[in-house]
Amino acid sequence: MISGNKRKMLIILIAAVLGMSLMTGCGSKPTETPETGAPETGADAPVTLRFAWWGNQVRNDLTQKANERYHELNGNVTVQGSFYQWSDYWSKMATQSAGKQMPDIIQMDLSYIDQYVSNNQLLDLTPYIESGALDTSKIPENILVMGKVGEGNYGIAAGVNVMCLFYDKAITDSVGVTIEDNMTFDAFVEVAKKITAETGYRAKLIYDANYMRDWARAEGISIQKAEMPVDSADAYVPYFQILVDGVAEGWHTTPDVMTGNAIEMEPLVYGSTPETMSWCTLNGGSNQLTALQKAAKEGQKITVSTIPTSDPIKSNYLKPSMFFSISADTKNPDAAVAFLNYLINSVEANEILLGERGVPINTDIADFIYDKITPGEQEVIKFVTEVVTPNSSPIDPPDPKGSSELNAALRDIVEKVGYGEYSAEEAAQEYFTRGTEIFAESNK
């Protein structure tokens, strides 16, 4: 059992590891634009707030309950929730933002925040932080600045988590292998080959495009600004060769095993035979562990480890699991800020949410929920604080504009590699060319 004081110190340690790298980024202060919903007319006037998020069914259920609880506490405010899968969420937000119809409160990702700020679509929270309307007194400063872009603060971290490898310990135990934390990629491949040879289950690392960031950080070529960080496509050949070799040697899944972005459809827990499942996966951050465990079949033991790379300490990093941001289009900014304050700081919200979006950033709340959460959720906190935090490097700056488009292109490219339509060299050239074009366009 981790003591209360130690838990608070661990949150502060996480903040120190995050450092000030997240203070970088560009973007202009959004203009105030009038547009959706009924305007605030008085403290007791009826207000309807729209709140959108992506995630799994567990998150949806908990968030809806927290919304309902807010209405019970604040009878004049109704919170209408909208829940989407990741891939659908951003297309919905793009459509709504183009028509100045974004929800009042939106779940925001590090990979998109710079883009939305640059397009004047998010409300600067700085005045509300300075006035105390948004209480940040229990949030370590280095976590608070995670939402800074330029001179403003456009998002409050919903939690802190880490990217990780999820795997079925029942399978690894059955063949007598151990997934070591901070395992190198070469050691991982040897384990993966043994598991496939003895069980038929394969690994899934690449198809969701998550692995590129970790691989590139380990190789010292992660994208820091809106340009490709290397001079030629040759630097990316080894990345795509992983998939070419993994499929040829049989230890990596093929694209037909992919079933979608939803946790419940993840091949680690979805499927009926070794041929249609995987024994490990990359699918989001450590806060997804509980949802995967709930979706698991009887007999599975889903747990976490670090992502294998050539240098795990260079590739490991802590990140905001996601942000809560407020639309620049809202006509109810004070009410939206009050609801955001409830999500971050209130016992009432967090005894429902229980850290599903990551380790709470309010140190008192993190302490409050610890003894109320499941062993799996306690496992996440221990993994973040004791395994990754001491063995990590600072997070990269927020993804530059164009990154989401490049990631979409990467998903298409790796699918072609997985089906044998591209060689590693062809894939590397396509990725490099597309990235060069996308960033050139974003810089205009």
Side-chain angles (χ1 to χ4, degrees):
M1 181 69 66
I2 303 176
S3 69
N5 286 338
K6 184 177 180 182
R7 290 197 291 274
K8 289 183 180 180
M9 289 303 297
L10 290 172
I11 297 295
I12 294 169
L13 176 60
I14 287 173
V17 172
L18 282 165
M20 302 301 288
S21 59
L22 281 153
M23 293 183 69
T24 59
C26 60
S28 58
K29 183 177 180 179
T31 57
E32 295 184 4
T33 47
E35 327 305 325
T36 62
E40 294 167 337
T41 57
D44 297 323
V47 173
T48 297
L49 295 173
R50 294 165 56 220
F51 176 24
W53 63 91
W54 73 83
N56 53 64
Q57 192 59 47
V58 173
R59 178 174 302 159
N60 184 40
D61 293 344
L62 295 177
T63 307
Q64 295 286 14
K65 289 178 182 177
N67 294 349
E68 292 166 5
R69 179 61 174 145
Y70 190 74
H71 178 65
E72 292 173 3
L73 297 169
N74 303 272
N76 65 310
V77 182
T78 300
V79 181
Q80 294 179 347
S82 298
F83 160 62
Y84 305 97
Q85 296 298 332
W86 168 270
S87 57
D88 297 328
Y89 181 82
W90 296 107
S91 60
K92 291 285 187 182
M93 292 304 104
T95 300
Q96 293 178 19
S97 62
K100 297 190 180 299
Q101 294 291 323
M102 272 208 303
D104 301 274
I105 304 99
I106 57 173
Q107 197 168 275
M108 176 55 59
D109 189 73
L110 187 65
S111 62
Y112 283 88
I113 192 168
D114 187 85
Q115 173 183 326
Y116 274 72
V117 171
S118 297
N119 291 334
N120 296 327
Q121 293 165 334
L122 300 182
L123 183 71
D124 185 2
L125 300 174
T126 304
Y128 299 95
I129 294 171
E130 291 177 346
S131 72
L134 184 54
D135 183 8
T136 59
S137 60
K138 297 295 183 179
I139 301 173
E141 178 65 21
N142 284 358
I143 291 181
L144 182 62
V145 301
M146 289 192 292
K148 282 186 71 79
V149 180
E151 297 301 315
N153 194 316
Y154 298 94
I156 297 296
V160 175
N161 73 355
V162 298
M163 303 306 291
C164 59
L165 179 80
F166 299 101
Y167 71 98
D168 187 348
K169 193 172 184 296
I171 292 176
T172 59
D173 286 349
S174 72
V175 298
V177 299
T178 300
I179 303 301
E180 300 285 352
D181 292 327
N182 300 307
M183 178 182 280
T184 65
F185 178 75
D186 288 344
F188 173 82
V189 170
E190 292 308 307
V191 168
K193 288 179 178 178
K194 179 178 175 64
I195 291 172
T196 301
E198 297 191 21
T199 70
Y201 287 95
R202 295 169 291 174
K204 181 173 85 70
L205 290 181
I206 297 214
Y207 294 121
D208 293 327
N210 291 329
Y211 189 60
M212 173 61 86
R213 185 191 302 272
D214 300 275
W215 177 86
R217 281 173 59 87
E219 301 302 319
I221 57 172
S222 58
I223 294 173
Q224 302 284 317
K225 51 187 177 180
E227 64 182 31
M228 296 303 282
V230 295
D231 295 328
S232 78
D234 294 345
Y236 295 109
V237 172
Y239 177 81
F240 294 103
Q241 194 65 48
I242 291 170
L243 184 55
V244 171
D245 293 343
V247 171
E249 294 166 1
W251 59 266
H252 198 290
T253 54
T254 47
D256 57 291
V257 176
M258 285 296 295
T259 53
N261 290 319
I263 285 291
E264 296 81 8
M265 301 290 283
E266 168 59 54
L268 179 63
V269 295
Y270 182 83
S272 57
T273 65
E275 292 75 23
T276 60
M277 298 181 71
S278 65
W279 67 269
C280 70
T281 190
L282 305 183
N283 190 338
S286 52
N287 58 306
Q288 299 279 36
L289 177 61
T290 300
L292 279 167
Q293 289 176 335
K294 288 185 177 180
K297 303 176 187 301
E298 184 176 355
Q300 287 191 298
K301 298 178 181 178
I302 308 301
T303 189
V304 291
S305 187
T306 52
I307 296 174
T309 65
S310 62
D311 189 337
I313 292 179
K314 285 177 64 177
S315 57
N316 291 343
Y317 64 98
L318 290 95
K319 66 184 290 287
S321 57
M322 59 206 69
F323 297 107
F324 292 130
S325 296
I326 295 176
S327 168
D329 299 334
T330 183
K331 284 193 107 178
N332 298 293
D334 291 349
V337 168
F339 178 68
L340 177 52
N341 194 68
Y342 160 80
L343 291 175
I344 296 298
N345 295 314
S346 76
V347 167
E348 290 85 358
N350 286 282
E351 66 185 356
I352 296 170
L353 299 173
L354 292 176
E356 188 278 330
R357 286 178 169 88
V359 180
I361 62 172
N362 179 312
T363 54
D364 284 354
I365 293 298
D367 184 51
F368 168 75
I369 71 166
Y370 188 82
D371 292 333
K372 301 177 183 299
I373 59 181
T374 67
E377 291 160 339
Q378 291 178 348
E379 181 184 357
V380 170
I381 291 180
K382 183 177 180 181
F383 176 70
V384 171
T385 56
E386 297 183 10
V387 175
V388 178
T389 298
N391 298 287
S392 61
S393 299
I395 189 173
D396 295 334
D399 291 349
K401 188 175 181 180
S403 297
S404 57
E405 186 178 350
L406 180 56
N407 284 337
L410 177 58
R411 293 184 187 97
D412 292 338
I413 293 167
V414 296
E415 182 171 314
K416 291 180 179 179
V417 174
Y419 280 127
E421 298 174 19
Y422 274 176
S423 66
E425 291 77 12
E426 291 170 329
Q429 186 61 59
E430 176 74 7
Y431 179 70
F432 180 77
T433 299
R434 290 293 304 278
T436 302
E437 294 171 348
I438 288 168
F439 287 134
E441 182 65 25
S442 73
N443 285 323
K444 288 183 178 179

PDB file of all heavy atoms in Angstrom, residues 32-47:
ATOM      1  N   GLU A  32     -12.884  35.951 -29.538  1.00  0.00           N
ATOM      2  CA  GLU A  32     -14.163  35.542 -28.972  1.00  0.00           C
ATOM      3  C   GLU A  32     -15.213  35.633 -30.064  1.00  0.00           C
ATOM      4  O   GLU A  32     -15.437  36.683 -30.633  1.00  0.00           O
ATOM      5  CB  GLU A  32     -14.522  36.442 -27.790  1.00  0.00           C
ATOM      6  CG  GLU A  32     -13.550  36.276 -26.634  1.00  0.00           C
ATOM      7  CD  GLU A  32     -13.954  37.092 -25.440  1.00  0.00           C
ATOM      8  OE1 GLU A  32     -15.040  37.732 -25.485  1.00  0.00           O
ATOM      9  OE2 GLU A  32     -13.208  37.103 -24.469  1.00  0.00           O
ATOM     10  N   THR A  33     -15.818  34.469 -30.337  1.00  0.00           N
ATOM     11  CA  THR A  33     -16.817  34.445 -31.398  1.00  0.00           C
ATOM     12  C   THR A  33     -18.148  33.994 -30.856  1.00  0.00           C
ATOM     13  O   THR A  33     -18.227  33.028 -30.123  1.00  0.00           O
ATOM     14  CB  THR A  33     -16.377  33.471 -32.505  1.00  0.00           C
ATOM     15  OG1 THR A  33     -15.966  32.274 -31.901  1.00  0.00           O
ATOM     16  CG2 THR A  33     -15.270  34.034 -33.319  1.00  0.00           C
ATOM     17  N   PRO A  34     -19.228  34.627 -31.215  1.00  0.00           N
ATOM     18  CA  PRO A  34     -20.517  34.352 -30.636  1.00  0.00           C
ATOM     19  C   PRO A  34     -21.142  33.160 -31.263  1.00  0.00           C
ATOM     20  O   PRO A  34     -20.989  33.042 -32.366  1.00  0.00           O
ATOM     21  CB  PRO A  34     -21.335  35.546 -31.066  1.00  0.00           C
ATOM     22  CG  PRO A  34     -20.635  36.168 -32.162  1.00  0.00           C
ATOM     23  CD  PRO A  34     -19.262  35.719 -32.153  1.00  0.00           C
ATOM     24  N   GLU A  35     -21.719  32.161 -30.595  1.00  0.00           N
ATOM     25  CA  GLU A  35     -22.287  31.362 -31.649  1.00  0.00           C
ATOM     26  C   GLU A  35     -23.249  30.289 -31.250  1.00  0.00           C
ATOM     27  O   GLU A  35     -24.217  30.257 -31.871  1.00  0.00           O
ATOM     28  CB  GLU A  35     -21.206  30.869 -32.487  1.00  0.00           C
ATOM     29  CG  GLU A  35     -20.096  31.840 -32.564  1.00  0.00           C
ATOM     30  CD  GLU A  35     -20.326  33.189 -32.982  1.00  0.00           C
ATOM     31  OE1 GLU A  35     -21.099  33.518 -33.774  1.00  0.00           O
ATOM     32  OE2 GLU A  35     -19.719  34.016 -32.466  1.00  0.00           O
ATOM     33  N   THR A  36     -22.972  29.520 -30.214  1.00  0.00           N
ATOM     34  CA  THR A  36     -23.892  28.413 -29.995  1.00  0.00           C
ATOM     35  C   THR A  36     -24.449  28.467 -28.584  1.00  0.00           C
ATOM     36  O   THR A  36     -23.829  28.983 -27.677  1.00  0.00           O
ATOM     37  CB  THR A  36     -23.191  27.059 -30.179  1.00  0.00           C
ATOM     38  OG1 THR A  36     -22.171  26.971 -29.219  1.00  0.00           O
ATOM     39  CG2 THR A  36     -22.618  26.936 -31.553  1.00  0.00           C
ATOM     40  N   GLY A  37     -25.640  27.914 -28.431  1.00  0.00           N
ATOM     41  CA  GLY A  37     -26.191  27.777 -27.106  1.00  0.00           C
ATOM     42  C   GLY A  37     -26.792  29.067 -26.599  1.00  0.00           C
ATOM     43  O   GLY A  37     -26.610  30.131 -27.151  1.00  0.00           O
ATOM     44  N   ALA A  38     -27.525  28.967 -25.524  1.00  0.00           N
ATOM     45  CA  ALA A  38     -28.133  30.148 -24.922  1.00  0.00           C
ATOM     46  C   ALA A  38     -27.078  30.915 -24.135  1.00  0.00           C
ATOM     47  O   ALA A  38     -26.275  30.324 -23.441  1.00  0.00           O
ATOM     48  CB  ALA A  38     -29.268  29.730 -24.005  1.00  0.00           C
ATOM     49  N   PRO A  39     -27.064  32.253 -24.218  1.00  0.00           N
ATOM     50  CA  PRO A  39     -26.065  33.026 -23.483  1.00  0.00           C
ATOM     51  C   PRO A  39     -26.358  33.035 -21.987  1.00  0.00           C
ATOM     52  O   PRO A  39     -27.483  32.827 -21.557  1.00  0.00           O
ATOM     53  CB  PRO A  39     -26.222  34.429 -24.075  1.00  0.00           C
ATOM     54  CG  PRO A  39     -27.628  34.481 -24.556  1.00  0.00           C
ATOM     55  CD  PRO A  39     -27.959  33.087 -25.003  1.00  0.00           C
ATOM     56  N   GLU A  40     -25.277  33.273 -21.210  1.00  0.00           N
ATOM     57  CA  GLU A  40     -25.459  33.386 -19.773  1.00  0.00           C
ATOM     58  C   GLU A  40     -26.191  34.691 -19.468  1.00  0.00           C
ATOM     59  O   GLU A  40     -25.781  35.760 -19.908  1.00  0.00           O
ATOM     60  CB  GLU A  40     -24.089  33.374 -19.080  1.00  0.00           C
ATOM     61  CG  GLU A  40     -23.384  32.032 -19.239  1.00  0.00           C
ATOM     62  CD  GLU A  40     -21.918  32.091 -18.832  1.00  0.00           C
ATOM     63  OE1 GLU A  40     -21.354  33.193 -18.854  1.00  0.00           O
ATOM     64  OE2 GLU A  40     -21.356  31.041 -18.508  1.00  0.00           O
ATOM     65  N   THR A  41     -27.253  34.623 -18.693  1.00  0.00           N
ATOM     66  CA  THR A  41     -28.016  35.823 -18.369  1.00  0.00           C
ATOM     67  C   THR A  41     -28.140  36.048 -16.868  1.00  0.00           C
ATOM     68  O   THR A  41     -28.650  37.067 -16.439  1.00  0.00           O
ATOM     69  CB  THR A  41     -29.433  35.733 -18.962  1.00  0.00           C
ATOM     70  OG1 THR A  41     -30.076  34.546 -18.462  1.00  0.00           O
ATOM     71  CG2 THR A  41     -29.381  35.654 -20.475  1.00  0.00           C
ATOM     72  N   GLY A  42     -27.665  35.118 -16.065  1.00  0.00           N
ATOM     73  CA  GLY A  42     -27.755  35.272 -14.619  1.00  0.00           C
ATOM     74  C   GLY A  42     -27.323  33.997 -13.939  1.00  0.00           C
ATOM     75  O   GLY A  42     -27.275  32.934 -14.560  1.00  0.00           O
ATOM     76  N   ALA A  43     -27.014  34.090 -12.645  1.00  0.00           N
ATOM     77  CA  ALA A  43     -26.459  32.948 -11.933  1.00  0.00           C
ATOM     78  C   ALA A  43     -27.392  31.746 -11.935  1.00  0.00           C
ATOM     79  O   ALA A  43     -26.939  30.609 -11.930  1.00  0.00           O
ATOM     80  CB  ALA A  43     -26.137  33.357 -10.500  1.00  0.00           C
ATOM     81  N   ASP A  44     -28.714  31.985 -11.922  1.00  0.00           N
ATOM     82  CA  ASP A  44     -29.662  30.883 -11.850  1.00  0.00           C
ATOM     83  C   ASP A  44     -30.368  30.614 -13.171  1.00  0.00           C
ATOM     84  O   ASP A  44     -31.311  29.811 -13.221  1.00  0.00           O
ATOM     85  CB  ASP A  44     -30.711  31.177 -10.771  1.00  0.00           C
ATOM     86  CG  ASP A  44     -30.082  31.272  -9.381  1.00  0.00           C
ATOM     87  OD1 ASP A  44     -29.145  30.492  -9.121  1.00  0.00           O
ATOM     88  OD2 ASP A  44     -30.522  32.125  -8.594  1.00  0.00           O
ATOM     89  N   ALA A  45     -29.946  31.274 -14.239  1.00  0.00           N
ATOM     90  CA  ALA A  45     -30.590  31.063 -15.533  1.00  0.00           C
ATOM     91  C   ALA A  45     -30.296  29.656 -16.033  1.00  0.00           C
ATOM     92  O   ALA A  45     -29.209  29.124 -15.833  1.00  0.00           O
ATOM     93  CB  ALA A  45     -30.074  32.084 -16.543  1.00  0.00           C
ATOM     94  N   PRO A  46     -31.269  29.008 -16.674  1.00  0.00           N
ATOM     95  CA  PRO A  46     -31.018  27.661 -17.218  1.00  0.00           C
ATOM     96  C   PRO A  46     -29.898  27.701 -18.262  1.00  0.00           C
ATOM     97  O   PRO A  46     -29.867  28.588 -19.118  1.00  0.00           O
ATOM     98  CB  PRO A  46     -32.364  27.296 -17.862  1.00  0.00           C
ATOM     99  CG  PRO A  46     -33.359  28.175 -17.193  1.00  0.00           C
ATOM    100  CD  PRO A  46     -32.648  29.454 -16.897  1.00  0.00           C
ATOM    101  N   VAL A  47     -28.995  26.760 -18.148  1.00  0.00           N
ATOM    102  CA  VAL A  47     -27.856  26.672 -19.071  1.00  0.00           C
ATOM    103  C   VAL A  47     -27.726  25.228 -19.538  1.00  0.00           C
ATOM    104  O   VAL A  47     -27.805  24.296 -18.727  1.00  0.00           O
ATOM    105  CB  VAL A  47     -26.536  27.110 -18.395  1.00  0.00           C
ATOM    106  CG1 VAL A  47     -25.343  26.850 -19.319  1.00  0.00           C
ATOM    107  CG2 VAL A  47     -26.592  28.575 -17.998  1.00  0.00           C
TER     108      VAL A  47
END
